[in-house]
Amino acid sequence: MLLSPAVAAQQDVNDSLLTSLQSHIKRDTARVNLLNRIARIYFTKDATLAARYGEEALLISDSLKYTNGRIWALRNLALVENTKGHLDQQMQLTLSALKLAETIGEPYMLGVLNNDVGNIFTELNSPRDALTYLKISLAIKLKRNEKTEIGKTLNNIGSAYIALKMHDSAMYFLQKAEKIKLELNDQRGLAYTYENMGIISMVQQNYNDALRYHLLSAAYYKEADNLPGVVKANLNLAEVQTMLGDLKGADKNLDNAKALNDKLGNVKNEMIYYKIRYELDSARKDYVAAFNHFKEYSNRNIDYFNAEKGRQISRSEERYESEKKQRENIVLKKEQHTHLATIQQQRVLVLSAAALFLALLLITVMVYRLYKRQQELYLELNNKNREVSMQNRIILEQNATLENLNQVKDKIFSVISHDLRSPLAILEGLLFLLKDEKIDANQFRLYTDELWRDVKNTAYMMDNMLQWASNQMKGIGVKADDFDVTLLLSREFDLLQTLARQKEVKLSHELNKSMMVYADPDMIRLVLRNLINNAIKFTPAGGEVMITAQCNKETAEITVKDNGTGIPLENQHRIFSNIYYSTTGTQNEKGCGLGLHLSKDFVERNHGQIWFNSMPGSGSSFSFTLPVSEDHEINPRAYTVVVQDHPLNGVSVLRR
């Protein structure tokens, strides 16, 4: 009884269609049309159910070769992907449907699908590409005078102009869309239009107008049972209410949005939720909660940024390959025209020579000379061909070099944009709170250990990245020399001991005598640092990391062993491969996936071997060998072992 007439009527339609589907079991075009209609209605209510109907419609359409059914099934499956935030999958399905619609030339389908492609480009932050498809869609719909569809496209053009920050143009198209939808009583469509108007009012800081528009949008989304729309409306309302000081209302809408989005699994909405939650906590002056929510938002924002960057790189690569093929085709056509002209010229010369030979015997000399000239031309052409082939080989080698450098650049950008930005973003947030006196120095000190560890891990990570980049771009020469591994370890031990102490991990070694090897000391220092740092990273509090060594006449073997989390069996084959494999540590420490790969390269460059043994849940041990110095037995070094209590926590430290 509480349902509005529109909702009750829609429910009757749904029940009628489901009843018709249950009674119509024959796998024909009529069943396909029923399945597509039901999937279109349910994609905003129950995405899983809509996907099931869409997949059945697609399967039957393929078996019947029913193009119209296949187009609408692909479109419905694309809409389901949109509710999950999977824009790339939605774009692939929609473009497949659009190509099929172009083959049959059905104008209504072309108008709808061009509109869908424009929407996707807007959500992918490519509004100029979006306007190209949206204007094609609008022209088709205006020609057919389809007012409902015209209203949808006008609304979507407004969305594209919002993305371009052309708010006056956006409001112009949105008001035209509102007028049409009010005339048609299109409540479902008005929800999208009022949402966009609310967004513009927010940007212009007209918060009362924004609140009014978002309340209208929320009511229409709820009445249409559009779950993704209700989530967006709740998030928009929460942000406006935060700005207006209605903190209880904002909190309630945020809770509603999160509960619904947990069912949908939309990553972008989850990122927006933590952003608004951070703003709400700041308004409440709950700065600890604000900091934690800011961290969650920052992590998701970085992941979303990397996904966007990946999509842009993919599109750039496709555009580059297309332009490259076009250039190659132009070159091939020019060469073909040149060869055809040469062949035609040769034919004319031969025919002329034959005619002259029959006419006058004296022309024989001229023909002979022409023949000789032809042979010279062929020789020159062959020489030119060899030069072109050689240039092509040079170009291919240069392309391979450029491709390797491009991979190095992409890896560096990926590490800088993700792993370096994350600790800096957290540090920025804390300094912002400290600067504005929203957090005192005592509270700030609670986070200093975590920040110090993050910064130190980032420094190690940048070391690995720079070494790897230098190795990839210009190569690193091995500067081998005789040195003492025990002395080298002792110089690195204090800093690594500090890292271990912060995690409450016991770090010790049994290298109590000189061990002379012949290798590059800088490379081996990086190998030791990476192996020990990795062991600390994946060992929980209370665990232990032990460094041991043994030596024979030819090689020295060093082992770093821990009793930490171990490496999953399914990932062990990736440890030393060319695939850059990285996971977070027991306290969410991050890496760039280059340390072990670089360590393997450096050990092998110094004529050693590296291997590991690991059992999930029981820890790991990494070992490597190095050639022993020729004077290892001649000049042994002795060390005095001093056991000293650390003044902070009483941990015993070995100094040599």
Side-chain angles (χ1 to χ4, degrees):
M1 291 176 64
L2 296 175
L3 289 173
S4 69
V7 177
Q10 188 179 36
Q11 188 67 36
D12 291 341
V13 172
N14 297 348
D15 294 340
S16 175
L17 289 173
L18 289 172
T19 302
S20 299
L21 182 66
Q22 291 170 358
S23 62
H24 192 99
I25 60 175
K26 185 177 180 181
R27 294 166 63 85
D28 56 6
T29 57
R31 182 171 178 84
V32 171
N33 293 335
L34 282 170
L35 287 166
N36 280 328
R37 289 181 63 188
I38 296 171
R40 179 67 181 86
I41 292 171
Y42 273 90
F43 89 93
T44 57
K45 303 176 183 179
D46 189 335
T48 303
L49 191 60
R52 192 177 75 190
Y53 289 130
E55 287 166 357
E56 184 181 353
L58 184 62
L59 185 63
I60 298 174
S61 297
D62 286 341
S63 65
L64 298 175
K65 296 183 179 179
Y66 180 37
T67 304
N68 282 16
R70 179 175 174 77
I71 290 171
W72 292 121
L74 288 170
R75 197 243 179 166
N76 288 330
L77 291 172
L79 293 175
V80 169
E81 294 300 329
N82 178 270
T83 64
K84 302 174 183 177
H86 300 162
L87 299 180
D88 287 340
Q89 292 90 325
Q90 184 191 7
M91 178 67 87
Q92 291 175 3
L93 291 167
T94 307
L95 288 175
S96 298
L98 181 58
K99 288 179 182 178
L100 286 175
E102 288 172 348
T103 60
I104 62 176
E106 210 287 320
Y108 177 76
M109 292 180 177
L110 291 174
V112 171
L113 293 170
N114 275 289
N115 180 77
D116 287 354
V117 174
N119 278 344
I120 301 168
F121 271 122
T122 300
E123 291 194 60
L124 288 171
N125 294 324
S126 298
R128 297 195 181 278
D129 293 333
L131 285 173
T132 301
Y133 286 92
L134 291 172
K135 289 180 179 179
I136 292 172
S137 173
L138 183 62
I140 295 171
K141 293 176 179 180
L142 287 172
K143 188 174 181 180
R144 293 172 56 85
N145 195 28
E146 299 167 347
K147 287 194 174 182
T148 302
E149 291 296 324
I150 290 170
K152 293 178 182 178
T153 302
L154 287 171
N155 179 81
N156 296 332
I157 291 174
S159 298
Y161 278 117
I162 290 173
L164 288 170
K165 299 182 179 178
M166 299 171 65
H167 301 124
D168 291 338
S169 298
M171 188 61 80
Y172 169 78
F173 285 100
L174 291 172
Q175 288 171 347
K176 292 180 68 174
E178 179 190 22
K179 182 179 178 181
I180 292 174
K181 292 175 181 180
L182 286 172
E183 290 175 358
L184 299 173
N185 194 26
D186 181 9
Q187 298 179 353
R188 183 186 183 95
L190 282 169
Y192 296 96
T193 301
Y194 286 133
E195 179 186 359
N196 285 332
M197 288 180 169
I199 291 170
I200 294 174
S201 298
M202 276 286 292
V203 173
Q204 295 175 342
Q205 298 183 356
N206 298 327
Y207 297 123
N208 290 322
D209 290 342
L211 180 63
R212 179 169 57 87
Y213 286 130
H214 285 315
L215 284 171
L216 287 170
S217 174
Y220 287 133
Y221 276 134
K222 187 175 181 181
E223 190 166 332
D225 202 14
N226 186 336
L227 294 183
V230 173
V231 172
K232 291 192 295 179
N234 281 319
L235 290 172
N236 290 330
L237 282 172
E239 189 167 15
V240 175
Q241 289 167 330
T242 300
M243 296 299 176
L244 291 173
D246 182 8
L247 304 185
K248 289 184 178 179
D251 187 68
K252 181 179 179 182
N253 282 311
L254 279 176
D255 289 341
N256 292 338
K258 188 174 190 311
L260 291 173
N261 195 60
D262 287 343
K263 298 177 182 178
L264 295 175
N266 190 302
V267 179
K268 185 176 181 181
N269 286 342
E270 187 179 10
M271 179 183 70
I272 295 171
Y273 164 81
Y274 281 110
K275 173 182 175 291
I276 300 171
R277 181 62 75 179
Y278 156 73
E279 294 170 353
L280 178 60
D281 290 334
S282 296
R284 290 172 166 171
K285 298 185 179 181
D286 185 359
Y287 300 117
V288 175
F291 173 69
N292 291 330
H293 287 125
F294 180 82
K295 285 176 64 177
E296 295 294 334
Y297 162 70
S298 177
N299 290 335
R300 285 162 177 79
N301 186 40
I302 290 168
D303 293 338
Y304 188 77
F305 167 81
N306 285 337
E308 285 293 320
K309 177 176 175 289
R311 283 193 290 267
Q312 291 174 2
I313 291 173
S314 177
R315 289 198 293 272
S316 298
E317 289 175 348
E318 290 174 359
R319 190 158 45 246
Y320 169 77
E321 289 298 328
S322 176
E323 292 174 355
K324 180 180 176 183
K325 289 180 180 178
Q326 289 178 359
R327 290 195 298 269
E328 291 174 350
N329 289 335
I330 291 171
V331 172
L332 289 173
K333 286 181 179 179
K334 287 182 179 179
E335 291 178 354
Q336 186 178 13
H337 287 312
T338 303
H339 288 311
L340 289 173
T342 303
I343 293 171
Q344 188 67 27
Q345 182 182 12
Q346 291 172 356
R347 287 178 180 173
V348 172
L349 290 174
V350 171
L351 290 174
S352 300
L356 290 172
F357 178 78
L358 295 174
L360 296 169
L361 187 60
L362 293 177
I363 303 301
T364 305
V365 177
M366 296 178 62
V367 173
Y368 176 76
R369 290 179 178 177
L370 289 172
Y371 174 76
K372 294 292 291 181
R373 179 59 181 165
Q374 185 180 15
Q375 293 299 316
E376 290 174 1
L377 288 173
Y378 273 120
L379 182 60
E380 289 178 4
L381 182 61
N382 289 334
N383 290 334
K384 291 290 184 183
N385 286 336
R386 283 194 293 272
E387 290 177 4
V388 170
S389 298
M390 186 177 297
Q391 290 175 354
N392 285 337
R393 285 196 298 271
I394 293 172
I395 290 171
L396 290 174
E397 292 173 357
Q398 291 174 343
N399 285 341
T401 302
L402 288 173
E403 184 175 356
N404 289 334
L405 293 177
N406 195 42
Q407 291 177 356
V408 174
K409 177 204 69 176
D410 286 346
K411 182 64 181 175
I412 292 172
F413 282 171
S414 176
V415 172
I416 291 174
S417 67
H418 188 284
D419 299 304
L420 185 57
R421 279 181 52 175
S422 182
L424 290 179
I426 295 171
L427 180 58
E428 181 187 11
L430 276 174
L431 291 176
F432 169 77
L433 295 175
L434 185 63
K435 173 179 173 293
D436 285 0
E437 298 181 355
K438 295 179 179 179
I439 184 172
D440 58 34
N442 290 330
Q443 288 178 309
F444 183 79
R445 289 192 190 97
L446 296 176
Y447 302 98
T448 54
D449 287 344
E450 180 183 351
L451 286 174
W452 184 87
R453 187 177 66 250
D454 285 347
V455 170
K456 182 52 62 180
N457 283 332
T458 302
Y460 280 163
M461 188 166 53
M462 292 300 294
D463 257 355
N464 284 335
M465 186 186 71
L466 292 174
Q467 289 283 355
W468 174 82
S470 177
N471 190 21
Q472 294 292 313
M473 289 182 175
K474 61 184 180 181
I476 298 177
V478 178
K479 299 178 182 179
D481 198 359
D482 296 325
F483 69 95
D484 187 355
V485 174
T486 304
L487 183 60
L488 182 70
L489 175 62
S490 68
R491 291 172 181 170
E492 293 292 320
F493 200 78
D494 284 348
L495 180 57
L496 293 167
Q497 184 70 268
T498 303
L499 286 173
R501 191 181 303 116
Q502 279 203 337
K503 287 192 67 175
E504 299 182 1
V505 173
K506 181 181 179 182
L507 174 64
S508 58
H509 68 76
E510 296 179 354
L511 277 70
N512 52 13
K513 64 179 181 179
S514 172
M515 184 178 293
M516 299 296 294
V517 298
Y518 182 75
D520 188 324
D522 290 331
M523 289 185 174
I524 304 308
R525 180 183 294 108
L526 189 139
V527 173
L528 280 170
R529 184 193 299 168
N530 278 331
L531 295 182
I532 298 171
N533 190 43
N534 265 11
I536 296 170
K537 175 179 174 183
F538 294 104
T539 301
E544 180 178 4
V545 177
M546 171 66 75
I547 304 127
T548 59
Q550 57 183 4
C551 188
N552 56 38
K553 292 183 178 180
E554 296 180 356
T555 60
E557 179 180 328
I558 299 96
T559 298
V560 179
K561 184 176 182 180
D562 65 76
N563 59 356
T565 58
I567 304 169
L569 296 177
E570 64 272 17
N571 290 331
Q572 291 189 5
H573 69 284
R574 303 169 63 186
I575 294 301
F576 290 132
S577 69
N578 290 327
I579 301 171
Y580 301 111
Y581 169 71
S582 177
T583 59
T584 57
T586 58
Q587 293 185 1
N588 294 320
E589 302 100 322
K590 295 183 178 180
C592 59
L594 298 174
L596 292 177
H597 177 76
L598 197 61
S599 298
K600 179 177 183 294
D601 184 35
F602 281 2
V603 169
E604 291 177 352
R605 282 173 179 259
N606 286 278
H607 307 290
Q609 294 181 332
I610 187 168
W611 66 94
F612 73 96
N613 293 299
S614 181
M615 183 63 66
S618 300
S620 306
S621 67
F622 282 78
S623 303
F624 66 95
T625 61
L626 294 172
V628 171
S629 172
E630 291 182 358
D631 60 350
H632 175 68
E633 297 296 335
I634 299 174
N635 297 313
R637 301 178 184 176
Y639 291 85
T640 303
V641 180
V642 178
V643 180
Q644 178 180 353
D645 288 338
H646 195 276
L648 294 178
N649 53 14
V651 177
S652 295
V653 180
L654 297 177
R655 299 193 179 274
R656 292 169 173 77

